[in-house]
Structure formats: structure tokens, C-alpha cells
């Protein structure tokens, strides 16, 4: 079935009619297929969910809708200033559609907005981090345990390293010989597991976004201020150190995460400072001392771990992350390892900013 044929079926399900219907890809996500479905009078964001990554689509939607309702109540009390992304029900009041073996859902389209893949300024970094900080603060009184775990062990570094070990042993697409130095580097970072084990017992479980990339929040076209935090698919119980760490990972480099110009893959210290100002400051009253201590570890772990995941997927035959060129996942892995190494190089300076 072509996209246009799918568009007509989806349009009928969501009551958009059958006249002048268009559909086009939007966003830059690796996992789900995200499209803008349009009629003359209405726009919807429709997504074909990757059911290999998210086998329990019902749990994914249930989690997101619980958070939608909580944030909507907060907004009604002027305790949340951002737009809330919401699911749209079909004509028969369902939030999921099964179409030719594929699973689809629709979200309200937030107009007058734009996203960015690379942080261009300290101001944008502070605004985006502030949006994620406001999101975290608004969920401080949300019952984290009410969320289902849609991806088990999502931020479990031990499991990710074990998966890498298995992919190396299997070498099913004969790529180990192409990245032996990268594999050896990963093995040398196992000390991070001990650091995690030492602090996690003292951290409160939070309702976390778990994917705080710059392109998972929208800016307002008119004001350039924060408009919405989006992509709630990975919202699960977790630790704020990983949300902070993913911002460091995705905000601080001036290069895209698949750039092969590794000499330019560096931690911009001024951007790091903007993340601290935007995210950490608003949480001061609810942030435990141990949580703040954990943020530096979160920055290291998230940057290294996504590199491990890219490398594992490369060795496994590129089954998880969407690729657009040969060796794309290896390029991504090396990019993240370069950023991780620069974090270590600048540790003293960056920790002084975080713990000032």
C-alpha cells in the first residue's frame, strides 16, 4: 500500500474526509515513521509505530496519555506553560489502528513550531533545557510506578555491553574486523558499571522522558521560545541523570551525531553551562543532593551508551536504527565515542560548572 493509499484510509478513520488529502514525512526520528496527514481544514501527525522496538503499543499509548492528562491538569492551574501533545482518537474512539499488519496512531499537530537537530546557540540550549526542566518539574508529583516499561533495560549499560559482547561473538555480518579498536575501547569503559551501581540505590525513581534530544522539543516560530516537549514514547520510570545526560550528549557537540568530521566533535562548554542553567536550576527545590551528583555520571553514561548501541546495531546488521548509507551506524558510534572522550578530557571544567 502506498503512502497515499494509507493516507486515504487513515483520513477516513480520523474523520478528515477523502478530498484533497495529502501526506508527507516530517521529523528526523530513527525509530517510528512520522508523517503529516493533511486535509484542507485539518492537520494530524500520524505515526507508523516500530513494533519491533515497541512490541506493546497499547502500553506506549497508555503511558503517553497518562502524562498528557497530568500535564493538561498542570497547565489548567498555570503550573505548566508548554503545549501538551495529545493523542487523537479514531471515529470509533480507538487510539491505535491496525492496518495491513502495521500499527498506526495519530497526534495533534502543533502548528507555528519548528525543531532543530543541532543546537546553534547558548540561548537555544538554555530554552530547550528549560523546557525539559519544566517537563520534569511538572511530573515531580506524578506516580512514576503507574507507567509501564515499554522498553526493558532501556538505559541499562550492563545489558547494552552484554549485547555488544554477543554481537561481537556472533559477528553475523562479518564486521568485527572493521572495528576492532572501537570494540576494545568499549571494553575499557566497564568501570562505568561500578559507578552506576554505587549511586543508583540512593536515587529516587522519577517519571522520565528518557529521550531528551534537542529535536524532541519544539520552538515557537514567532518567539523562538519553547513551545512543546514531544515524543513521549519512551516515558518510563527512571532517573533524571539520564535525561540530563542525554541533553549533554545531544546539545553539546556542534556536529550532528552521524558526522564523520570527528575533529569537530567537541563538548562546547558554554552550551553545557546553558543546560545546567536551563535544566538544573528550575529543579533545585526538588533535586536531591545525590541526584545532582549523579548528573555528571549521566552525561558520561548516556554518551558512551548510545555509542555502544550504534556499534552493536552495526555488528548485528543494522536492524534497530534507520540507516541512510553504508557504515552509518559505525559512523554514529565513532562520533559518540569522540564526544565521550572529550567529556573526560574536560571533566574538571565541566564539573566546576555543574557543581558551582
Amino acid at each position: 500500500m502506498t503512502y497515499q493509499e494509507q493516507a486515504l484510509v487513515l483520513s477516513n478513520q480520523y474523520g478528515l474526509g477523502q478530498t484533497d488529502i495529502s501526506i508527507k514525512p516530517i521529523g528526523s526520528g530513527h525509530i517510528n515513521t512520522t508523517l503529516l496527514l493533511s486535509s484542507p481544514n485539518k492537520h494530524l501527525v500520524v505515526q507508523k509505530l516500530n513494533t519491533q522496538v515497541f512490541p506493546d503499543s497499547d502500553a506506549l499509548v497508555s503511558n503517553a496519555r497518562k502524562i498528557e492528562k497530568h500535564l493538561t491538569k498542570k497547565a489548567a492551574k498555570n503550573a505548566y506553560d508548554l503545549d501538551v501533545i495529545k493523542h487523537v482518537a479514531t471515529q470509533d474512539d480507538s487510539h491505535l489502528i491496525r492496518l495491513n499488519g502495521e500499527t498506526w496512531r495519530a497526534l495533534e499537530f502543533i502548528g507555528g513550531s519548528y525543531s532543530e537537530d543541532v543546537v546553534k546557540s547558548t540561548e537555544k540550549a538554555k530554552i530547550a533545557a528549560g523546557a525539559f526542566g519544566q517537563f520534569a518539574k511538572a511530573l515531580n508529583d506524578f506516580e512514576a510506578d503507574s507507567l509501564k516499561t515499554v522498553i526493558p533495560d532501556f538505559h541499562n549499560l550492563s545489558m547494552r555491553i552484554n549485547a555488544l559482547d554477543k554481537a561481537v561473538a556472533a559477528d553475523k555480518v562479518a564486521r568485527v574486523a572493521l572495528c576492532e579498536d572501537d570494540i576494545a575501547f568499549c571494553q575499557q569503559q566497564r568501570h562505568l558499571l561500578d559507578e552506576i551501581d554505587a549511586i543508583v540505590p540512593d536515587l529516587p525513581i522519577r517519571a522520565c522522558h528518557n529521550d531528551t534530544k534537542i529535536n524532541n522539543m519544539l520552538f515557537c516560530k514567532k518567539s523562538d521560545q519553547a513551545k512543546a516537549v514531544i515524543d513521549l514514547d519512551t516515558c518510563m520510570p527512571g532517573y533524571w541523570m539520564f535525561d540530563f545526560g542525554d541533553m549533554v550528549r545531544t546539545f553539546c557537540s556542534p556536529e550532528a551525531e552521524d558526522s564523520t568530521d570527528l575533529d569537530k566533535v567537541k563538548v562546547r562548554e558554554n552550551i553545557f553551562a546553558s543546560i545546567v542553567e536551563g535544566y538544573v536550576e528550575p529543579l533545585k527545590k526538588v533535586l536531591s543532593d545525590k541526584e545532582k551528583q549523579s548528573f555528571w555520571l549521566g552525561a558520561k553514561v548516556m554518551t558512551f551508551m548510545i555509542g555502544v548501541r550504534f556499534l552493536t546495531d552495526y555488528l548485528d546488521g543494522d536492524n534497530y536504527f534507520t540507516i541512510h548509507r553504508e557504515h552509518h551506524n559505525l559512523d554514529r558510534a565513532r562520533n559518540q565515542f569522540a564526544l565521550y572522550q572529550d567529556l573526560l578530557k574536560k571533566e574538571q571544567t565541566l564539573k566546576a560548572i555543574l557543581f558551582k
Side-chain angles (χ1 to χ4, degrees), residues 109-118 120-121 123-124 127 214-228 230:
F109 174 68
I110 297 178
S113 63
Y114 67 95
S115 63
E116 294 188 348
D117 289 325
V118 177
K120 297 181 175 66
S121 68
E123 183 181 9
K124 285 290 181 69
I127 291 168
I214 182 66
N215 57 17
N216 277 338
M217 63 82 56
L218 300 178
F219 294 94
C220 175
K221 284 184 177 179
K222 288 185 178 180
S223 68
D224 289 323
Q225 295 301 305
K227 191 165 179 66
I230 62 172

Side-chain angles (χ1 to χ4, degrees), residues 30-31 50 52-53 163-164 167 171-176 178-179 258 306-334:
H30 293 319
I31 309 302
N50 184 329
Q52 282 191 311
V53 177
L164 175 62
D171 195 16
K172 70 180 188 181
V173 288
R175 288 177 169 176
V176 165
L178 300 175
C179 48
D258 61 354
I306 192 66
V308 170
R309 291 177 62 196
F310 285 141
L311 182 58
T312 302
D313 198 31
Y314 175 72
L315 293 172
D316 200 41
D318 304 311
N319 296 311
Y320 187 92
F321 297 105
T322 301
I323 59 168
H324 303 292
R325 61 177 184 260
E326 189 179 15
H327 308 306
H328 199 170
N329 276 320
L330 181 58
D331 291 340
R332 288 169 172 149
R334 288 174 173 167

Side-chain angles (χ1 to χ4, degrees), residues 6-23 35-46 88-91 97 106-109:
Q6 289 170 331
L8 292 173
V9 174
L10 292 168
S11 178
N12 185 56
Q13 290 276 354
Y14 292 109
L16 271 65
Q18 297 285 284
T19 305
D20 294 330
I21 300 300
S22 66
I23 195 166
L35 308 162
L36 183 64
L37 179 67
S38 300
S39 73
N41 301 313
K42 191 172 184 180
H43 302 288
L44 289 180
V45 175
V46 292
V88 177
T90 62
Q91 302 271 52
I97 295 175
L107 303 166
E108 289 183 0
F109 174 68

